[in-house]
Amino acid sequence: DTAVSQTPKYLVTQMGNDKSIKCEQNLGHDTMYWYKQDSKKFLKIMFSYNNKELIINETVPNRFSPKSPDKAHLNLHINSLELGDSAVYFCASSRNGDTEAFFGQGTRLTVV
Amino acid sequence: QKEVEQDPGPLSVPEGAIVSLNCTYSNSAFQYFMWYRQYSRKGPELLMYTYSSGNKEDGRFTAQVDKSSKYISLFIRDSQPSDSATYLCAMKRTTDSWGKLQFGAGTQVVVTP
C-alpha cells in the first residue's frame, strides 16, 4: 500500500490554465508538505501543514494555494499557470514537524 | 550563492567500487545532516542522518560530517547497479522543523556492471 500518494503523476497543460494536484497519506501523520523540484533537481519547501493548519509558507506566488480538508490530505491548486511552474511537485508527510518526512512519487507538471 | 553546494555529476563508477559523495555548506548553524537517495521518477527517501560532527555507518553506507570545514560526505562501499540514483544532501538547524531542510542539488551516480 502506498504511504504517500499523489495524483496525477503527470500533468501537461497550457499557460493560463488552473490545475490541482491531490495528495493523501495513510501513515496517520500530523504534518504534510509540498515541495518543488526544478529541472536542476533542486528541492525547495513550498508549504507545510500541521493538523490542517498552515505552519510554513515560503516565498511562493499567491497563484499557489494549498488546502488541507483533513490531516490525511493536502491539495495544491495553481491558478494562471506559467511556463516557469514546470517542475516536479512532491508531497510529503511526517509524524510531526520534527521527524523524518516520507515523500510521494511526485507530479511532473509541464506547462506549454 | 546557495547555502548548500553539491556537484551534480554524473559520477560513473564500476560495480564494486567505492562511491564518494560530498557537500559543502556556508551556514555554521546547521546541526542536522541528511543524505537522501532518489531513484529516477521517484520521491527522495532518507538514507541516513547525523547530528553535529562525526561518522555514522549503516551497512555499506558511511556518513561523515566535518563541521570545522563545513563539509559532509557519504561513502558507499561495494557499490551495486541498484545504487544508481541521485543522492541529495540536506541539512537544518536544531531549531528548524523538518520542513525547513536546505537541500543540495543532488549528485547523479551511475554504477556500471
Side-chain angles (χ1 to χ4, degrees), chain A residues 39-50:
Chain A
S39 57
K40 295 184 178 176
K41 294 284 193 180
F42 201 62
L43 198 63
K44 282 205 72 171
I45 184 74
M46 299 173 69
F47 302 103
S48 173
Y49 270 74
N50 184 266

Side-chain angles (χ1 to χ4, degrees), chain B residues 2-23:
Chain B
K2 292 186 170 60
E3 281 193 289
V4 181
E5 298 281 355
Q6 187 177 8
D7 188 330
L11 179 63
S12 184
V13 300
E15 184 175 356
I18 295 175
V19 176
S20 175
L21 304 164
N22 57 74
C23 290

Side-chain angles (χ1 to χ4, degrees), chain A residues 30-31 33 48 50 55 93-101, chain B residues 32 34 49 92-101:
Chain A
D30 287 339
T31 305
Y33 312 86
S48 173
N50 184 266
I55 54 171
S93 75
S94 63
R95 188 161 47 86
N96 54 52
D98 293 327
T99 56
E100 173 193 356
Chain B
Y32 285 86
M34 296 86 173
Y49 77 89
K92 74 179 187 78
R93 299 172 302 179
T94 302
T95 51
D96 288 333
S97 71
W98 203 272
K100 286 284 195 178
L101 289 180

Side-chain angles (χ1 to χ4, degrees), chain B residues 16-76:
Chain B
I18 295 175
V19 176
S20 175
L21 304 164
N22 57 74
C23 290
T24 58
Y25 62 94
S26 56
N27 189 341
S28 58
F30 288 142
Q31 292 276 24
Y32 285 86
F33 304 91
M34 296 86 173
W35 286 96
Y36 283 81
R37 179 175 61 196
Q38 185 176 16
Y39 290 116
S40 181
R41 308 278 170 162
K42 299 287 187 184
E45 55 178 333
L46 183 65
L47 270 178
M48 4 183 4
Y49 77 89
T50 53
Y51 174 72
S52 195
S53 283
N55 295 354
K56 188 172 184 179
E57 192 171 315
D58 184 1
R60 296 184 296 113
F61 298 88
T62 300
Q64 290 183 351
V65 176
D66 181 349
K67 290 193 69 185
S68 61
S69 302
K70 297 194 184 71
Y71 187 92
I72 68 171
S73 303
L74 177 72
F75 300 97
I76 308 173

Side-chain angles (χ1 to χ4, degrees), chain A residues 6-109:
Chain A
Q6 299 177 226
T7 54
K9 286 200 174 94
Y10 300 94
L11 185 53
V12 181
T13 187
Q14 290 188 325
M15 278 173 51
N17 283 351
D18 303 338
K19 290 293 178 185
S20 290
I21 308 171
K22 296 187 176 182
C23 179
E24 176 181 7
Q25 54 94 4
N26 62 5
L27 297 166
H29 287 167
D30 287 339
T31 305
M32 295 185 74
Y33 312 86
W34 277 111
Y35 285 85
K36 178 180 180 182
Q37 189 172 44
D38 62 25
S39 57
K40 295 184 178 176
K41 294 284 193 180
F42 201 62
L43 198 63
K44 282 205 72 171
I45 184 74
M46 299 173 69
F47 302 103
S48 173
Y49 270 74
N50 184 266
N51 271 321
K52 303 196 303 174
E53 184 179 338
L54 181 66
I55 54 171
I56 294 176
N57 184 354
E58 292 296 297
T59 308
V60 175
N62 57 16
R63 298 182 294 104
F64 291 77
S65 51
K67 189 166 183 181
S68 182
D70 55 62
K71 72 175 192 177
H73 295 84
L74 180 61
N75 303 324
L76 183 65
H77 188 76
I78 315 169
N79 288 329
S80 304
L81 278 154
E82 300 177 356
L83 292 176
D85 297 332
S86 297
V88 182
Y89 292 85
F90 286 100
C91 177
S93 75
S94 63
R95 188 161 47 86
N96 54 52
D98 293 327
T99 56
E100 173 193 356
F102 292 84
F103 286 81
Q105 289 205 337
T107 296
R108 187 171 295 271
L109 171 66

